[in-house]
Amino acid sequence: MKKDIHPDYHEINVVMTDGSTYQTRSTYGKPGDTLRLDVDPKTHPAWTGGQSRMLDQGGQLARFNKRFQKFGLKSGQE
């Protein structure tokens, strides 16, 4: 292996969205830094198989559905 071409690989702390933490090795930041996740595999539908329900924050989903309801499937078309 060539010297001085690889990034520093060290231990960091990871904080999940539910507050649980664990240590892992990474090239992120400096040794001992904390990485706080906005999205994690415990709650995101991409990892949970879509079992989580979409939250309608600020009525955005309702506004979308109202705006595009005329584009829905007509009876007999599926």
Side-chain angles (χ1 to χ4, degrees):
M1 227 167 40
K2 292 183 180 181
K3 292 182 183 265
D4 301 324
I5 64 167
H6 298 284
D8 179 34
Y9 195 59
H10 49 269
E11 287 192 3
I12 64 167
N13 300 309
V14 178
V15 179
M16 306 294 268
T17 58
D18 66 356
S20 61
T21 62
Y22 67 93
Q23 284 190 331
T24 189
R25 292 178 53 82
S26 174
T27 59
Y28 171 82
K30 300 178 296 250
D33 276 357
T34 300
L35 175 64
R36 295 184 184 282
L37 299 180
D38 293 333
V39 176
D40 71 45
K42 291 181 184 177
T43 57
H44 195 278
W47 290 283
T48 62
Q51 301 302 323
S52 299
R53 302 195 77 191
M54 181 182 288
L55 297 177
D56 187 11
Q57 295 179 349
Q60 291 179 345
L61 184 58
R63 284 196 306 271
F64 177 86
N65 287 334
K66 183 178 179 185
R67 181 180 292 168
F68 294 105
Q69 67 187 357
K70 64 183 175 183
F71 293 109
L73 293 176
K74 296 177 183 172
S75 64
Q77 292 180 334
E78 293 187 28

